[in-house]
Amino acid sequence: MVVKCILCSNKYRPPYRALSFNVTFHRFPKDYERFNKWVNFCRRPELLEKGPSICNRTCKLCSEHFVKTDFKNNGWLIKSAVPSIFNWPDVELQQNISLEMISEESIPSTSSTSRIMADSVDIYSNSISSINWSNVSAMSCSTSTPKTASVSRSLTYSSDNSSTSETQTDETLSRNTPHNVKLNNMLSIQKNKFNDLHKKYLTLKKHCSDQQKKSSTLEFFHLMCDNFLNKGFANFVKVQSKLTLQNPCEHRFSYETKQFVLMIHFMGPEVYRFLQKSWSLPSVRTLQKTTENWKINPGLSDFLFKVLAVKANSMTVKSKECILCVNEMSLKSFLYYDIKKDEIIGFHNTGFIKSFHVTKSVMVIMISGLHSSWKQPVGYFFVATTFTGYDLQNIIFQTVQKLSNISINVVVMISDLGLNFKHFADQQGITPQTPYFNVGDKEIVYMFDPPHLLKATRNNFFNYRFKSQNKIAEKIHLSNFYDSDKSKHHRLAPKLTDVHLNPNSFQKMRVNFASQVFSYTVVAGMTTLVSYNELPHSAFDTIDFIDSIYKLFDLFNSHPSSTEVSNHEGSKRFSLPFSNSSYQKDFLNLMLNYFENLEIQKYNVKKNEWVNITRQYNIKFINGWLISIAGLNRLYQNLTNNSHSKIDPIYTCRLNQEVLENYFGTVSNQNGNFINPTCIKFKQMFKKLFCLEYFQHSVSANCIQDLDDVLLCLENTPISEIKILFPEKNPIKFPLPIKNVNNYKQINLPEQNALTYVCGYLIGQCLKVHQCTTCLNFAQATTSISSKTFYSHFKLYKENPSLLFGNLMMPSSTFYQYIFQIDQVFDRHFMSLAPQPHVGKTLKDLIVNNIFFYHPCDNFPKDFLINLFLRFRIYNSLNRTNKESQALRTGKRNRKVQILSNL
């Protein structure tokens, strides 16, 4: 390819070299302003029509048209270089054509700045191209001699320019001819047009450049977000734009961002990880750390339900159908004074009722998914005895209503066979005919825990005889089977042991022992021995009973299975999810009929016969099975009526209290495997486990396809609720501040002279805060031994035996009187104020407002004295109460060892 200079004959044709080894070729610049200068200096106005981009590719200038100062050391042109060397004789080079820079005037900003600039550039180009350069050249030639006509074909930009060559006519005579004047006027008009357009072009170019710089700023981007995005998503995008400019270690996330990320996390970890690749999102640990400021107190906390509402927003309607479980756990009676909150923990506290009675148990309410495997504790209550009657009804009804307010639908309630829950069922009129109760217009099915029913059935079966429809089931047949089977080398029921048939009190609480007794293995083994005449034929009734209980428990304990077959045969079909199929309905009706006619008989030695004891002994498992079976049918019927399409089978393994039992086990393990944790330990663990369950991903949450809806609805959550979800961390303030004094916990109050000894301790601690001659004299005012100072005299420190009371302080009698008065205030009000919050501050206000104390020194730390006394008295009062509670637990010291040894 040949490269030629557009102004001279220099060219370059590979592989041949240029005419001179030092000649280089340079492209026209792409910059519009520099391009105009090159075109004007080269006197090639036709290049303006092509434009800078085309000329940059097709037109070249050789290095002979540039001076040495236009080149860098590497041979490249500098930015400001322009061609200045031309072989045009008798014509002066006019380099200032395009260098005239007129002061720029401001032009009002419009929304179509880019379009105006483009139009101006087109006008400018068209005006330059519209000049008839040939005519202008002709005009110049007509006034010159033949010698100069051949070389002067350029524009004359100044009237002072004239040819210095020889002419036939004097130049001054032909300069002002009418024709020349006319042509000069035309040239002046074109020049003015050119200057005006060039001026507008430069002004618009600068304005466009300013607009581009302004549009590339972060503030302009934020303004565009507010104009074209909804408020919630605009705020999120603006936050992301700021975070991208910061160091990741310096990221600080707003409440709205944390709430949005939490919603994404609830949708699924995969969604969260997907968005975290392109967005600056806080980690899950950052979200969990915000829970350190959460306050979850006993009772039904409004804060807790507002927090649950955020998670419920990411769940489907079907997944919000849940099970309500209620149960109690024994606690160790122990009082704890929380210094930061000025509150004593360990008294009876249900959130709305507080009393001075020490807590002995805690009742926990937990919800879990009916169609999905999620769970969440929603409240706990410290109780001195147990909840009964209308208190329990109040709590359950309030829980259902609060959950309904956040769109969580309670459809069934599960409880054990405790006496308090039996009273609740009786109050609500729950029977096998009506296995439900109403909270407002909402119907809730009531069922008993199947594992508890199974254990109760086993225990009664071992103690009594069952008779129904002329069929008699006795334990003697099971015992004979075990005695015969355990001596064999290859056993028919290898899991049966002596523990299964003779469990102690703790082993009776194990569900697996009961389920292994009522198993298909035992049924098959006993049937085998009957066929070999090793068991009597009367054992068939016992075999049928064990088989029925086994199938019934399987039906109430069905798990999700990928091998579900509608026409599944054999005993395993009862372990399939409940779909109200014909064989399931027939079997439930059969068991209803069996329990309705069941008679519990006990052998009467005096009468030498079996007598019915159902009414006298209040056998609860029979009514429990009847209500649970009827409740399962009612639940399926309610789900069918509420669904517009075919409902999914019910996984009955969720219709029990297993989640709550596991929760109690976790609480015990978290506290060092304590069987009965203290109230303060349980409160701490409830908050910890609540947060852990809260941040768990729910399988039933919305999928990633619904992410666009979440992004468009960010502003739906009020800012007030977001601040409740992520509260600000407040600095810790101690209601009763005392600095560097902790030894009050080691002081033992003696029986005699206690007040004097305590006063000496208090005044000594005050001297550590402020000490002067007046305070020292006041602290050592007593110098004689009396009946009230014997103990202090005998208790003197051995380091200084020369003094009467050693290093012990013996203040003035007015100080004794003051301490005695504030101690009376404490004894009078502590019992009523102890269950309430801010107990220390309330007692302090009573002391300050009702008791006057004069000290000769104005700087005496009276406030410190009151704080120390209250901390000292509260600690000793709780310590004494805890010791008394521990003394009442006689015979229970080794209970933990007994339980572990019997597991």
Side-chain angles (χ1 to χ4, degrees):
M1 177 179 178
V2 179
V3 178
K4 293 181 60 178
C5 177
I6 63 172
L7 296 180
C8 63
S9 60
N10 287 340
K11 60 182 178 180
Y12 175 79
R13 183 197 301 245
Y16 306 104
R17 298 183 178 180
L19 298 177
S20 176
F21 292 102
N22 297 325
V23 175
T24 58
F25 295 87
H26 306 276
R27 299 175 182 270
F28 270 65
K30 288 184 178 181
D31 182 68
Y32 205 88
E33 188 175 352
R34 292 182 60 204
F35 171 74
N36 288 334
K37 291 181 181 181
W38 283 39
V39 171
N40 292 331
F41 290 148
C42 295
R43 301 181 184 181
R44 297 292 297 271
E46 70 275 9
L47 298 179
L48 291 174
E49 297 180 0
K50 296 183 179 181
S53 58
I54 297 178
C55 290
N56 178 263
R57 296 194 303 269
T58 59
C59 299
K60 307 286 190 303
L61 281 180
C62 66
S63 57
E64 292 184 353
H65 300 288
F66 297 91
V67 295
K68 292 183 178 181
T69 57
D70 290 339
F71 294 93
K72 300 180 182 178
N73 294 333
N74 55 4
W76 291 8
L77 289 176
I78 61 176
K79 274 193 174 181
S80 59
V82 292
S84 57
I85 301 176
F86 306 98
N87 294 325
W88 297 332
D90 304 327
V91 178
E92 249 180 68
L93 180 63
Q94 303 296 327
Q95 298 183 7
N96 56 348
I97 295 176
S98 58
L99 296 177
E100 300 177 51
M101 302 300 296
I102 304 173
S103 60
E104 300 174 357
E105 299 178 0
S106 59
I107 297 178
S109 174
T110 63
S111 60
S112 58
T113 304
S114 301
R115 188 178 61 189
I116 293 176
M117 177 188 173
D119 296 341
S120 301
V121 172
D122 293 341
I123 294 172
Y124 171 71
S125 302
N126 295 333
S127 300
I128 295 298
S129 61
S130 63
I131 299 175
N132 193 343
W133 298 94
S134 60
N135 294 335
V136 175
S137 301
M139 289 189 297
S140 179
C141 293
S142 63
T143 61
S144 60
T145 62
K147 182 178 180 180
T148 59
S150 61
V151 294
S152 61
R153 300 190 57 187
S154 60
L155 287 175
T156 304
Y157 295 101
S158 174
S159 60
D160 296 334
N161 291 339
S162 61
S163 176
T164 60
S165 61
E166 295 181 358
T167 58
Q168 295 178 355
T169 306
D170 189 7
E171 185 177 358
T172 56
L173 297 177
S174 61
R175 182 181 299 173
N176 295 323
T177 60
H179 185 65
N180 285 351
V181 171
K182 181 179 179 180
L183 292 178
N184 288 331
N185 291 337
M186 292 176 58
L187 180 62
S188 178
I189 292 173
Q190 295 296 333
K191 181 179 178 181
N192 292 335
K193 287 183 179 181
F194 169 80
N195 291 333
D196 292 340
L197 290 175
H198 188 65
K199 174 183 175 182
K200 291 182 180 180
Y201 161 73
L202 294 177
T203 304
L204 290 175
K205 182 178 180 181
K206 180 181 178 182
H207 181 72
C208 182
S209 178
D210 294 341
Q211 290 293 332
Q212 289 177 351
K213 291 179 181 179
K214 183 179 179 181
S215 62
S216 62
T217 60
L218 191 62
E219 291 76 10
F220 183 81
F221 176 73
H222 290 175
L223 180 63
M224 294 297 101
C225 290
D226 293 333
N227 291 339
F228 298 102
L229 299 176
N230 67 2
K231 182 179 179 181
F233 190 57
N235 292 335
F236 178 77
V237 173
K238 288 190 290 186
V239 170
Q240 290 296 313
S241 63
K242 292 180 180 179
L243 293 176
T244 53
L245 303 177
Q246 297 178 358
N247 189 340
C249 299
E250 300 176 355
H251 285 178
R252 297 296 182 268
F253 300 96
S254 62
Y255 298 129
E256 295 85 351
T257 304
K258 292 180 181 179
Q259 186 270 343
F260 169 67
V261 174
L262 185 61
M263 187 181 301
I264 297 296
H265 178 67
F266 289 152
M267 293 172 61
E270 295 181 359
V271 182
Y272 177 78
R273 287 192 293 268
F274 170 75
L275 296 179
Q276 202 173 28
K277 295 178 181 179
S278 54
W279 291 350
S280 297
L281 302 180
S283 64
V284 179
R285 178 55 188 153
T286 301
L287 301 178
Q288 291 176 345
K289 288 177 66 176
T290 59
T291 61
E292 296 174 358
N293 303 326
W294 288 6
K295 297 179 181 179
I296 304 178
N297 296 318
L300 299 175
S301 173
D302 293 334
F303 164 78
L304 186 145
F305 285 95
K306 289 180 179 179
V307 169
L308 286 177
V310 179
K311 186 171 185 177
N313 292 334
S314 63
M315 301 170 63
T316 60
V317 176
K318 184 177 179 180
S319 64
K320 293 179 183 179
E321 295 181 345
C322 68
I323 304 165
L324 181 69
C325 299
V326 186
N327 206 350
E328 292 183 358
M329 176 184 183
S330 298
L331 295 180
K332 179 182 178 181
S333 298
F334 184 84
L335 299 178
Y336 175 81
Y337 178 56
D338 192 340
I339 298 175
K340 298 178 182 178
K341 298 180 181 178
D342 190 19
E343 182 181 6
I344 298 176
I345 300 172
F347 289 114
H348 179 89
N349 187 357
T350 62
F352 50 89
I353 297 178
K354 300 177 182 179
S355 66
F356 191 72
H357 301 89
V358 181
T359 297
K360 295 182 180 179
S361 61
V362 59
M363 189 178 78
V364 179
I365 298 180
M366 176 176 280
I367 56 176
S368 59
L370 177 63
H371 305 288
S372 55
S373 57
W374 61 268
K375 57 183 178 179
Q376 190 69 61
V378 295
Y380 67 99
F381 309 87
F382 290 142
V383 293
T385 54
T386 186
F387 272 122
T388 56
Y390 292 101
D391 290 339
L392 182 60
Q393 173 183 325
N394 240 2
I395 290 174
I396 294 175
F397 279 32
Q398 286 187 22
T399 304
V400 174
Q401 290 172 354
K402 287 180 178 292
L403 290 173
S404 179
N405 293 337
I406 60 175
S407 71
I408 296 180
N409 183 23
V410 179
V411 296
V412 60
M413 175 181 170
I414 308 291
S415 72
D416 57 15
L417 298 173
L419 190 61
N420 53 343
F421 296 111
K422 186 178 182 302
H423 290 166
F424 171 78
D426 294 339
Q427 287 178 355
Q428 303 304 318
I430 294 175
T431 62
Q433 290 73 34
T434 57
Y436 57 88
F437 63 96
N438 295 315
V439 180
D441 56 349
K442 183 184 293 295
E443 178 182 308
I444 299 176
V445 177
Y446 190 88
M447 297 176 62
F448 290 99
D449 185 35
H452 279 82
L453 293 174
L454 183 69
K455 291 186 292 184
T457 304
R458 187 271 317 271
N459 296 338
N460 286 278
F461 174 64
F462 282 2
N463 294 330
Y464 311 112
R465 187 177 77 169
F466 291 177
K467 181 179 180 181
S468 178
Q469 300 173 344
N470 296 324
K471 292 184 178 181
I472 299 175
E474 297 181 83
K475 180 188 176 183
I476 185 64
H477 300 301
L478 179 64
S479 300
N480 292 338
F481 164 72
Y482 174 70
D483 293 338
S484 175
D485 185 60
K486 70 178 181 180
S487 60
K488 293 181 172 61
H489 183 68
H490 299 289
R491 297 182 56 187
L492 298 175
K495 290 186 178 181
L496 281 186
T497 61
D498 292 335
V499 174
H500 291 77
L501 272 70
N502 301 293
N504 57 27
S505 299
F506 294 103
Q507 292 164 350
K508 289 180 180 180
M509 300 169 63
R510 301 284 297 274
V511 180
N512 63 327
F513 288 160
S515 63
Q516 289 169 359
V517 169
F518 298 109
S519 65
Y520 191 73
T521 302
V522 174
V523 172
M526 292 181 68
T527 306
T528 302
L529 292 188
V530 171
S531 63
Y532 282 101
N533 296 324
E534 293 188 23
L535 288 178
H537 286 276
S538 59
F540 274 122
D541 293 344
T542 304
I543 295 173
D544 290 341
F545 169 74
I546 294 175
D547 184 53
S548 299
I549 298 298
Y550 156 71
K551 293 178 180 178
L552 181 63
F553 185 69
D554 264 9
L555 195 146
F556 276 89
N557 194 38
S558 60
H559 290 263
S561 174
S562 59
T563 58
E564 298 177 8
V565 182
S566 59
N567 57 354
H568 196 78
E569 299 295 336
S571 61
K572 289 297 182 181
R573 62 179 178 171
F574 291 97
S575 62
L576 298 178
F578 183 77
S579 58
N580 203 28
S581 58
S582 58
Y583 76 90
Q584 291 174 336
K585 290 190 294 185
D586 294 342
F587 178 74
L588 289 180
N589 292 331
L590 179 66
M591 295 308 297
L592 280 173
N593 189 29
Y594 179 86
F595 285 116
E596 287 173 352
N597 297 295
L598 180 61
E599 298 177 359
I600 307 297
Q601 296 180 341
K602 182 179 180 180
Y603 186 75
N604 191 326
V605 179
K606 294 182 179 180
K607 295 182 180 181
N608 195 24
E609 63 179 1
W610 293 89
V611 294
N612 294 336
I613 60 166
T614 305
R615 294 183 179 179
Q616 295 87 339
Y617 283 70
N618 190 19
I619 306 299
K620 295 182 289 185
F621 82 93
I622 299 177
N623 194 52
W625 277 120
L626 291 173
I627 292 176
S628 297
I629 293 173
L632 181 60
N633 290 326
R634 183 76 179 187
L635 175 63
Y636 190 87
Q637 179 183 347
N638 291 346
L639 294 178
T640 305
N641 296 335
N642 296 335
S643 178
H644 300 289
S645 59
K646 184 179 178 180
I647 67 170
D648 297 331
I650 300 176
Y651 298 114
T652 54
C653 64
R654 296 175 179 141
L655 298 176
N656 54 45
Q657 288 188 323
E658 183 180 3
V659 291
L660 199 51
E661 296 293 342
N662 293 338
Y663 179 81
F664 289 150
T666 304
V667 171
S668 299
N669 293 333
Q670 291 285 337
N671 288 281
N673 199 21
F674 289 153
I675 299 300
N676 296 327
T678 60
C679 295
I680 181 63
K681 289 294 184 182
F682 182 87
K683 182 178 180 179
Q684 294 170 352
M685 291 313 306
F686 182 89
K687 175 183 173 180
K688 177 180 179 180
L689 296 178
F690 174 84
C691 297
L692 289 177
E693 293 293 342
Y694 184 77
F695 286 101
Q696 288 294 326
H697 163 60
S698 177
V699 180
S700 57
N702 293 326
C703 61
I704 192 173
Q705 297 176 356
D706 301 323
L707 181 59
D708 52 348
D709 297 332
V710 177
L711 297 178
L712 294 176
C713 299
L714 282 178
E715 58 185 348
N716 292 342
T717 305
I719 301 299
S720 59
E721 293 189 9
I722 296 176
K723 290 186 177 180
I724 292 176
L725 184 63
F726 301 103
E728 295 182 356
K729 188 174 183 179
N730 297 323
I732 298 174
K733 296 182 179 180
F734 293 91
L736 302 176
I738 54 175
K739 295 182 179 180
N740 303 323
V741 180
N742 293 318
N743 55 0
Y744 62 85
K745 298 181 180 180
Q746 287 76 36
I747 293 180
N748 295 321
L749 296 180
E751 293 292 332
Q752 297 179 352
N753 301 329
L755 179 62
T756 305
Y757 183 70
V758 171
C759 290
Y761 164 76
L762 294 175
I763 198 68
Q765 297 297 330
C766 290
L767 288 177
K768 294 180 180 180
V769 178
H770 171 73
Q771 188 177 82
C772 64
T773 305
T774 304
C775 292
L776 286 174
N777 295 333
F778 183 84
Q780 299 175 353
T782 301
T783 57
S784 60
I785 296 178
S786 64
S787 59
K788 297 181 179 180
T789 61
F790 283 147
Y791 183 79
S792 298
H793 171 70
F794 296 139
K795 190 70 175 177
L796 62 87
Y797 298 121
K798 303 301 181 181
E799 289 80 356
N800 194 359
S802 60
L803 298 176
L804 183 63
F805 297 103
N807 291 333
L808 297 176
M809 297 293 176
M810 301 295 294
S812 174
S813 59
T814 58
F815 188 81
Y816 298 152
Q817 185 64 26
Y818 176 69
I819 298 300
F820 177 74
Q821 291 177 353
I822 64 177
D823 188 63
Q824 284 185 326
V825 173
F826 181 88
D827 291 337
R828 192 182 308 119
H829 297 94
F830 180 70
M831 184 175 293
S832 59
L833 295 177
Q836 306 300 327
H838 310 295
V839 55
K841 185 177 182 303
T842 307
L843 288 171
K844 182 179 179 180
D845 294 340
L846 289 172
I847 293 172
V848 173
N849 297 330
N850 297 320
I851 301 176
F852 173 76
F853 172 64
Y854 170 76
H855 193 279
C857 179
D858 295 335
N859 296 325
F860 180 76
K862 182 180 177 181
D863 189 72
F864 172 82
L865 172 64
I866 298 174
N867 294 344
L868 178 60
F869 174 81
L870 290 176
R871 292 271 288 270
F872 167 74
R873 287 290 281 118
I874 290 174
Y875 170 78
N876 282 279
S877 299
L878 300 186
N879 189 29
R880 183 173 182 177
T881 304
N882 292 335
K883 289 181 179 179
E884 291 175 354
S885 301
Q886 186 177 4
L888 294 175
R889 297 191 296 269
T890 56
K892 298 183 179 180
R893 180 175 301 178
N894 297 325
R895 183 168 177 240
K896 178 179 178 181
V897 178
Q898 294 176 3
I899 293 175
L900 294 177
S901 63
N902 289 282
L903 291 179

